[in-house]
Structures are given as structure tokens and as C-alpha cells.
Amino acid sequence: MIFSGCLLLSACSNQEEQSYLPEFTTTPPTRDTEYIFGIHPLHNPQRLFEVFGPMMEYLSKNIAGVSFRLEASRNYAAFDEKLYARKFHFALPNPFQTVNAVDKGYKVFGKMGDDQNFRGIILVKKDSGIKKVTDLKGKAVSYPAPTALAASMMPQYYLQKHGVDVMTELDNRYVGSQESSIMNVFLGQTEAAATWPPPWKALSAERPELAEQLAVIWQTEPLLNNGLVVLPEVPDNITRQVIKLLTNLHTHEQGRSILKPMELSGYENATDDTYLPVRAFLIKFSLEVRPVQ
């Protein structure tokens, strides 16, 4: 009886050992492929994560086997360096950076809509006494960066065409971000500030004193909005899923809540050729205002 009990215990012990034996396989565990999504400095880095973070989460949740990591840059120069070195898998550059990215091997697969909002605006204090463009001669004007198309190049082209030699008759100050450009004129550090509608609308809504004291005195003609680019190494099926999700954001409540902080009604399909008008503008700007790299 004792012997049979030992056999029984031994059998149970063997079964338990077998049930806990590790399993070995040559197939590695499944992990998401992470794609870095660079957004140009539409805002300062903190606000950029607030505005575009939900879009990254949405893409990651709705495309199987991949995740998307937002990468912000401290300024335009830092973003340009990473973009042109092909450090981003996906990117949302401004139109000037978009055509440069194409020349570096990226391909355009989409863009922001609302081209009518892609225009430069120039802000002054309401009590500044500035009425015409030539009143700015000898004065300081703030901009985000030399490579900011809507917020720097397009306003400079406007000023040049309306009687001011931008490079010799203005004190041009590149201050790093859209918000900084606006705050410079608000704080009296410059006489005018160049930006574009979405950051002005968002910041003045958060800080009503800006709208009380500042006014948009001039605006430029519109141009194409910011582009979406991707490295050719990214599988086409992933890119197709990304643009399908983005161009459908405006069709459902969650998507509209993602678009709202961007001050955007939706995304659109686009190709490299979509940005030919931007190339034409850059040629004119380089000849008539200042060279661009």
C-alpha cells in the first residue's frame, strides 16, 4: 500500500514537473514596429505633444503591429537637421520643408486641408500707431524662423512688395516658435510679429488679453498647407492605412476631437506634384527677398 502510494505520488510529481517545463521556439515574440513621426515646430514642444499626441495614439491603436512615436524639436533648425538626415519615418513638415524633404528622398502622401488658412498674418499692438507697411521701416519684426513659410517667408514677401526692403530696412528677429513671435510684440520687444492663423487663434483664445491688445493688420495670399511625407522604406500598406485613417478623421466624433486642437477641418491626399506651386513661390522669394537654403 505504501509502495503504491509512493508510485502515485511519484506519478503526480512527474505530471506537475512536465506541466511546468519551459517551451522553446525559434519564432521570436511579436513586437510592434515603432515609427517615428516628426512634427515641425507649429508650436512649442509641450503644446505640440498636447495637440498631436492624440493623433499618434489613434494611429497606433488602429494599425495592427505598429506604433507611432511623436518627436518634437526645440526649433526649426533642429527639426530641419533631423528631417534632412532622414531620422523620421513619417513627418509633417511645412511646405518649404516638404519640397526639401522630397529632394532628400521622402515622398509626399498627404497634406493638411484648409489651404485658405495657410497664409501669413502680421500682428501689431492696437495702439502702436502703425497704419501702413512703410511705418515699419527701422523697426523690429519677430518671426518663428527663417524657414517658416507661412509665418516668415510669406509675410516678408508681402512686406517687400508693399514698400519695405526686408533685408536692409527691418530688424528681423527669429525667435524660435509661433508663440514666441506673438509674445514678442505683445511684450513690446518688437513692433510687429509674423505668424499664421492657427497658432494666433489658439493662443489668443487661451489668453484673451492678446486679442484685446493685438490686431491682425495685414495678411498674405494663401498657399498650400503643410505636407505629410514618408520614407520609401516604410511599407506601402502601412502608409495607405495611415492616410486612410487621417483623411477620415473628420467623419466621426473621435476624429473631429483630434482635429479640433489643430484648428483643422481635415487631411487630404497629395503627391510630390501637389507642391509644385510652392517651388514656384520659393524661386520668386529667393530672387526678390532673400536666398533660401
Side-chain angles (χ1 to χ4, degrees), residues 183-249:
M183 292 306 298
N184 263 258
V185 71
F186 177 71
L187 297 172
Q189 296 169 344
T190 57
E191 291 294 324
T195 184
W196 70 303
W200 165 240
K201 184 176 180 181
L203 192 60
S204 60
E206 290 178 6
R207 301 189 57 173
E209 67 272 21
L210 296 179
E212 290 171 4
Q213 296 188 39
L214 302 180
V216 176
I217 191 169
W218 301 298
Q219 63 178 356
T220 74
E221 292 297 316
L223 200 57
L224 293 164
N225 210 339
N226 302 306
L228 289 164
V229 299
V230 62
L231 285 176
E233 292 85 352
V234 175
D236 288 343
N237 70 306
I238 299 298
T239 304
R240 284 194 297 269
Q241 290 180 78
V242 169
I243 193 59
K244 183 177 181 181
L245 288 168
L246 294 183
T247 54
N248 281 292
L249 285 176

Side-chain angles (χ1 to χ4, degrees), residues 4-173:
S4 63
C6 289
L7 285 176
L8 182 61
L9 288 171
S10 176
C12 291
S13 176
N14 288 340
Q15 288 175 359
E16 289 177 0
E17 288 177 4
Q18 290 174 1
S19 67
Y20 286 97
L21 286 176
E23 295 183 3
F24 297 95
T25 175
T26 57
T27 305
T30 302
R31 293 195 178 101
D32 283 355
T33 298
E34 183 181 71
Y35 291 115
I36 301 172
F37 208 127
I39 310 289
H40 83 278
L42 286 155
H43 308 284
N44 62 54
Q46 178 181 346
R47 182 165 181 81
L48 205 70
F49 276 97
E50 293 171 358
V51 172
F52 287 93
M55 188 174 88
M56 298 300 111
E57 295 174 8
Y58 180 77
L59 293 176
S60 299
K61 185 177 294 186
N62 287 279
I63 302 178
V66 303
S67 62
F68 294 83
R69 176 165 62 85
L70 172 62
E71 182 156 340
S73 301
R74 67 183 181 277
N75 54 38
Y76 276 76
F79 176 84
D80 290 349
E81 182 179 356
K82 288 182 280 189
L83 178 69
Y84 303 153
R86 297 162 58 97
K87 298 296 186 183
F88 306 128
H89 299 99
F90 291 87
L92 180 70
N94 74 24
F96 170 61
Q97 296 159 332
T98 296
V99 298
N100 286 341
V102 170
D103 294 341
K104 297 292 184 180
Y106 284 87
K107 58 183 179 180
V108 176
F109 71 98
K111 62 182 285 293
M112 284 180 153
D114 302 336
D115 288 344
Q116 73 278 4
N117 289 333
F118 194 85
R119 64 175 74 232
I121 57 174
I122 299 171
L123 302 164
V124 297
K125 282 195 170 182
K126 292 178 180 178
D127 60 0
S128 67
I130 293 172
K131 302 298 182 184
K132 56 186 184 296
V133 170
T134 52
D135 291 337
L136 287 176
K137 286 186 177 182
K139 304 292 197 304
V141 181
S142 52
Y143 316 86
T147 56
L149 182 58
S152 296
M153 295 185 202
M154 291 165 67
Q156 287 178 340
Y157 189 79
Y158 178 93
L159 296 175
Q160 187 81 23
K161 287 297 186 180
H162 287 80
V164 173
D165 189 313
V166 168
M167 299 307 291
T168 64
E169 296 182 321
L170 295 180
D171 176 7
N172 298 303
R173 300 183 185 179

